[in-house]
């Protein structure tokens, strides 16, 4: 058959070659996309950049700490409440949830996720076709991914799934 492997571990034939070629194209596209996303990023070691990095790491730490000290993992309600009060993002999103209707938050979170996915596919398409002269999709993608993963991940999950 056209897509079978030759007995004895030989080379793929027919559909197998086409599949292997597609997999290699996808690997090259993803590697190129991630390389271009980080290209031009200057990692200067100024005091301001160190403070920014520390602040981002603190945000991540407090979010993970809040999630790990949930009552479902055996922590008391009092401990959970104290730890929740240290997470800046949780406090901001809790206040926003009290003011903004739930369906609006779901809509915003859905738009962020769908926009990030659409931008990812668009940037991958641009890279695959060799149109890397358009850098704005990559800058937007870098901003969306950094913002959603670093600061708003648990809030977006909460708005979408809970």
């Amino acid at each position: 058959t056209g897509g079978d492997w030759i007995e004895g571990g030989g080379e793929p034939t027919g559909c197998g070659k086409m599949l292997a070629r597609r997999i290699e194209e996808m690997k090259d596209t993803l590697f190129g996309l991630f390389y271009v996303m980080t290209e031009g990023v200057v990692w200067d070691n100024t005091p301001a950049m160190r403070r920014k990095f520390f602040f981002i790491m603190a945000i991540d730490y407090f979010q993970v700490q809040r999630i790990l000290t949930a009552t479902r993992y055996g922590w008391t309600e009092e401990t959970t409440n104290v730890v929740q009060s240290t997470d800046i993002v949780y406090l901001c999103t809790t206040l926003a949830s009290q003011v903004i209707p739930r369906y609006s938050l779901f809509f915003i979170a859905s738009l962020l996720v769908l926009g990030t996915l659409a931008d990812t596919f668009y940037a991958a398409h641009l890279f695959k076709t060799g149109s890397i002269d358009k850098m704005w999709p990559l800058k937007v993608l870098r901003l969306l991914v950094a913002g959603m993963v670093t600061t708003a991940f648990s809030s977006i999950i909460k708005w979408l799934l809970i």
Side-chain angles (χ1 to χ4, degrees):
T1 60
D4 292 338
W5 292 85
I6 297 173
E7 289 295 324
E11 291 293 317
T13 60
C15 291
K17 279 187 179 180
M18 189 168 52
L19 180 62
R21 191 171 44 244
R22 281 294 210 184
I23 289 172
E24 285 302 315
E25 286 177 7
M26 288 175 56
K27 284 181 184 176
D28 292 341
T29 300
L30 288 175
F31 174 76
L33 178 65
F34 290 128
Y35 176 78
V36 171
M37 276 182 66
T38 58
E39 189 177 37
V41 176
V42 178
W43 301 103
D44 54 348
N45 197 17
T46 63
M49 287 304 290
R50 285 193 298 251
R51 283 191 291 274
K52 178 183 173 187
F53 182 71
F54 176 78
F55 183 69
I56 289 171
M57 293 302 289
I59 288 174
D60 286 343
Y61 171 76
F62 288 128
Q63 284 184 342
V64 170
Q65 183 183 21
R66 177 179 52 85
I67 292 168
L68 291 178
T69 57
T71 54
R72 70 180 67 116
Y73 298 123
W75 293 91
T76 64
E77 189 71 33
E78 295 80 18
T79 304
T80 303
N81 291 337
V82 169
V83 172
Q84 284 178 348
S85 66
T86 63
D87 185 7
I88 298 167
V89 176
Y90 177 79
L91 294 174
C92 293
T93 56
T94 301
L95 291 173
S97 298
Q98 293 174 358
V99 177
I100 301 171
R102 181 86 172 150
Y103 65 88
S104 298
L105 295 173
F106 177 81
F107 183 70
I108 291 169
S110 299
L111 281 178
L112 282 171
V113 170
L114 291 175
T116 303
L117 286 174
D119 193 22
T120 301
F121 289 124
Y122 181 63
H125 173 73
L126 287 177
F127 183 78
K128 186 176 180 182
T129 59
S131 304
I132 304 181
D133 54 336
K134 299 178 185 176
M135 291 302 288
W136 68 265
L138 297 174
K139 290 180 182 178
V140 170
L141 184 61
R142 186 184 302 164
L143 177 73
L144 285 171
V145 169
M148 285 186 6
V149 171
T150 302
T151 56
F153 182 74
S154 61
S155 303
I156 287 176
I157 295 296
K158 177 175 70 174
W159 294 338
L160 288 176
L161 300 178
I162 298 175

